């Protein structure tokens, strides 16, 4: 298992250096991320973010012109950080591909705030509508890249003799990302943290 | 493929007899379902439902005390109808289990309104928060039953010699429901209707 502490550090730490105080912008992003994921994006007002962050309304609006712009900044930052960790996991060629896939899934499972839909990206996508085009497109692109990364890993696994060369790679790649996203969602509905691990166990059984 | 017309009839028709006019209650449920799924539950006001349904506010509030109560009625009705069709598909013992699983997945894929999150149940779950406890519990229970139905089907498939008796049934069952839900979600993000069929193809390959 990837240590949560490490992930938390990479995913939720701000860009500040260790000694300096977090900037107001960092504080607002951290507080708003929690509210958007745990309470819901449309159900959170800028006034609540002001109250919870203790940053003045004027200062918040100096950094973000609207709630939508704040959401965009959050999604862009979340994606940057996840993509960095995903690239790191995918590149660890000293590890078996199966192990890298497991870590990839754990990464998406080990999340900070308790998102309403299990996965933070799924939650923010479903909580926005066609009016939040930029956010939905960014999340769409993030999943597109995830599928491509899994495809590359599966090809590597076949080349290394870990998987059968008959594997329909592109189909298995979308299946893996689907089962992780669906598993995170179902796990949330069932309030059962063993659900995603069971899904991954079934996958490992079938890939043998 | 199950015909969409048939599904549409079962899932979206009201309980009215053929000749009678739809009741105001039926009209409000139909219009609100579309708005909640396509625009979002928190983003839809009762005033918009009044305007779109052309049913008076007084009449709507006569049937539903609040937007929350309207949502509960919608979710209860959707679940009743899906469970009816799922039971029908699962019980068709003249069909191979693999074929029934395929129809089960098609049922969830062939949906009426274009839900924000791909699947209507996932969309309504993620669009509500802890304050909508009844709705979230109903959806949770619906998925619990789906997993149990798939488990029974897999046991039947093993007994009929369709699948290996070594299959870890309960794990494969959660995996199948996860990949359908995740596949519907990803398909929506990628705006690619071939995505879920590819996921199901990968599953069929692995179950062989």
């Amino acid at each position: 298992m990837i240590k949560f502490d490490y992930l938390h550090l990479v995913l939720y730490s701000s860009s500040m250096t260790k000694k300096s105080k977090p900037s107001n912008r960092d504080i607002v992003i951290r507080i708003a991320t929690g509210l958007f994921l745990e309470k819901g994006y449309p159900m959170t007002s800028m006034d609540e973010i002001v109250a919870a962050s203790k940053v003045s309304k004027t200062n918040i609006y100096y950094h973000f012109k609207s709630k939508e712009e704040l959401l965009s900044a959050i999604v862009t930052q979340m994606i940057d950080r996840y993509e960095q960790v995903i690239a790191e996991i995918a590149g660890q060629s000293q590890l078996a591909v199966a192990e890298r896939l497991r870590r990839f899934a754990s990464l998406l499972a080990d999340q900070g705030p308790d998102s309403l839909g299990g996965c933070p990206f799924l939650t923010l996508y479903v909580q926005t509508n066609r009016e939040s085009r930029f956010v939905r497109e960014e999340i769409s692109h993030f999943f597109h890249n995830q599928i491509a990364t899994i495809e590359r890993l599966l090809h590597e696994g076949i080349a290394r003799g870990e998987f059968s060369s008959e594997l329909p790679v592109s189909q298995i790649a979308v299946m893996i990302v689907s089962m992780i996203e669906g598993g995170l969602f179902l796990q949330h509905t069932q309030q059962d943290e063993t659900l995603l691990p069971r899904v991954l166990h079934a996958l490992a059984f079938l890939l043998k």
Side-chain angles (χ1 to χ4, degrees), chain A:
Chain A
M1 271 302 209
I2 300 182
K3 290 267 180 52
F4 178 76
D5 285 352
Y6 163 68
L7 269 180
H8 199 267
L9 195 73
V10 178
L11 297 173
Y12 300 102
S13 70
S14 68
S15 54
M16 60 193 171
T17 55
K18 263 187 182 168
K19 292 271 168 79
S20 70
K21 256 178 64 182
S23 71
N24 279 343
R25 190 178 185 279
D26 288 333
I27 293 170
V28 170
I29 284 195
R30 186 172 52 79
I31 295 291
T33 303
L35 286 167
F36 290 171
L37 293 178
E38 294 179 54
K39 180 185 159 83
Y41 170 69
M43 298 85 140
T44 301
S45 67
M46 284 296 249
D47 283 343
E48 279 173 273
I49 297 167
V50 171
S53 68
K54 297 187 176 71
V55 175
S56 76
K57 203 162 186 167
T58 323
N59 198 296
I60 293 184
Y61 278 102
Y62 166 77
H63 291 291
F64 310 101
K65 282 193 200 73
S66 60
K67 194 173 78 163
E68 170 97 37
E69 200 175 297
L70 172 53
L71 176 67
S72 292
I74 287 173
V75 169
T76 303
Q77 180 174 302
M78 270 171 54
I79 289 179
D80 282 352
R81 291 176 175 184
Y82 269 89
E83 287 195 330
Q84 187 188 320
V85 186
I86 288 171
E88 217 173 279
I89 294 171
Q92 295 190 301
S93 50
Q94 78 283 9
L95 295 174
V97 170
E99 173 58 21
R100 278 178 269 166
L101 288 174
R102 213 189 49 69
R103 291 189 182 192
F104 182 95
S106 304
L107 168 69
L108 289 161
D110 272 342
Q111 284 143 18
D114 181 22
S115 304
L116 286 169
C119 165
F121 298 99
L122 179 147
T123 300
L124 294 177
Y125 184 91
V126 180
Q127 292 253 343
T128 51
N129 63 22
R130 284 153 197 86
E131 286 161 29
S132 304
R133 216 174 117 189
F134 174 76
V135 166
R136 287 170 80 86
E137 279 175 4
E138 276 222 300
I139 295 175
S140 164
H141 196 66
F142 173 61
F143 283 115
H144 181 84
N145 289 346
Q146 269 192 41
I147 295 168
T149 302
I150 302 268
E151 273 190 33
R152 280 196 301 277
L153 279 174
L154 290 171
H155 280 299
E156 194 183 327
I158 291 172
R160 290 163 64 131
E162 275 188 59
F163 306 127
S164 156
S165 62
E166 283 171 22
L167 222 58
V169 168
S170 76
Q171 293 169 349
I172 302 281
V174 286
M175 187 188 86
I176 291 175
V177 181
S178 294
M179 67 173 60
I180 293 172
E181 285 306 305
L184 285 168
F185 166 66
L186 276 186
Q187 175 161 293
H188 195 278
T189 68
Q190 304 301 304
Q191 293 290 302
D192 172 3
E193 288 191 3
T194 72
L195 196 147
L196 185 65
R198 284 187 279 140
V199 169
L200 298 176
H201 190 275
L203 174 68
F205 174 87
L206 292 176
L207 281 178
K208 265 193 318 212

